[in-house]
């Protein structure tokens, strides 16, 4: 995918997922910055997995954009970044079957992410989680808030 320089017309997005147990109550969080605008989004599910919440964060972030934009999307999930950049073309070519000839896990969300990403020019960047990156920390806090609400802790 093409690299996008961050400028005033580029949306900068941080996404994260959180889950207590796998499966268990989970949440996703998004911190989005575009020009002078900032937005925080989060949500939850009562019984889910961390990978599903990581995917949902990226989906919700891209679907929240009202028009096609260049996007720099930061994720601390190698699963999301590798899936979208490395594995997805093969999955689509093979009818959503993986290299082990098994159905792709979370194919419903991968398809939705593929559709959401197709509207934008996305530069997928990995950031180490819990390393002090302020955008990642904000997304993590939102994901934890969603997880805690799903677990009935708020």
């Amino acid at each position: 995918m093409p690299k996008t320089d961050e400028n005033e017309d580029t949306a900068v997005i941080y996404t994260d997922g959180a889950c207590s147990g796998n499966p268990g109550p989970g949440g996703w969080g998004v911190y989005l910055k575009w020009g002078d605008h900032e937005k925080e989004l989060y949500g939850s599910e009562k019984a889910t997995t961390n990978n599903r919440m990581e995917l949902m964060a990226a989906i919700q972030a891209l679907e929240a954009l009202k028009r096609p934009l260049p996007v720099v999307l930061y994720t601390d999930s190698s699963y999301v970044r590798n899936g979208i950049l490395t594995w997805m073309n093969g999955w689509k070519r093979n009818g959503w079957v993986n290299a082990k000839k098994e159905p792709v896990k979370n194919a419903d969300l991968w398809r939705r992410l593929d559709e959401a990403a197709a509207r934008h020019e996305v530069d997928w960047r990995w950031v180490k989680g819990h390393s002090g990156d302020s955008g990642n920390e904000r997304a993590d806090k939102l994901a934890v808030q969603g997880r805690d609400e799903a677990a009935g802790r708020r």
Side-chain angles (χ1 to χ4, degrees), residues 31-142:
Y31 168 59
L32 190 151
K33 185 166 176 31
W34 179 62
D36 294 333
H37 306 284
E38 292 183 62
K39 190 171 195 170
E40 293 182 338
L41 306 167
Y42 76 95
S44 64
E45 292 185 27
K46 291 200 180 288
T48 190
T49 65
N50 192 68
N51 283 344
R52 288 187 69 82
M53 292 296 89
E54 295 282 359
L55 285 164
M56 187 57 76
I59 291 164
Q60 293 291 339
L62 294 171
E63 288 180 351
L65 300 174
K66 293 181 171 46
R67 66 177 176 88
L69 287 171
V71 174
V72 177
L73 191 146
Y74 292 90
T75 177
D76 61 9
S77 171
S78 294
Y79 174 71
V80 170
R81 189 169 186 277
N82 288 337
I84 197 84
L85 294 177
T86 305
W87 307 326
M88 188 178 293
N89 285 336
W91 293 338
K92 292 191 315 189
R93 188 172 49 249
N94 296 327
W96 293 93
V97 173
N98 66 22
K100 295 178 184 177
K101 306 293 184 211
E102 298 168 345
V104 171
K105 289 183 180 174
N106 304 313
D108 59 328
L109 296 183
W110 283 114
R111 285 182 173 112
R112 190 169 161 194
L113 180 59
D114 186 36
E115 186 176 317
R119 293 182 50 231
H120 309 284
E121 183 181 328
V122 183
D123 179 358
W124 297 90
R125 297 187 186 177
W126 182 81
V127 61
K128 184 174 181 168
H130 309 288
S131 63
D133 182 290
S134 62
N136 178 257
E137 297 297 333
R138 281 178 84 167
D140 177 69
K141 183 178 178 184
L142 292 162

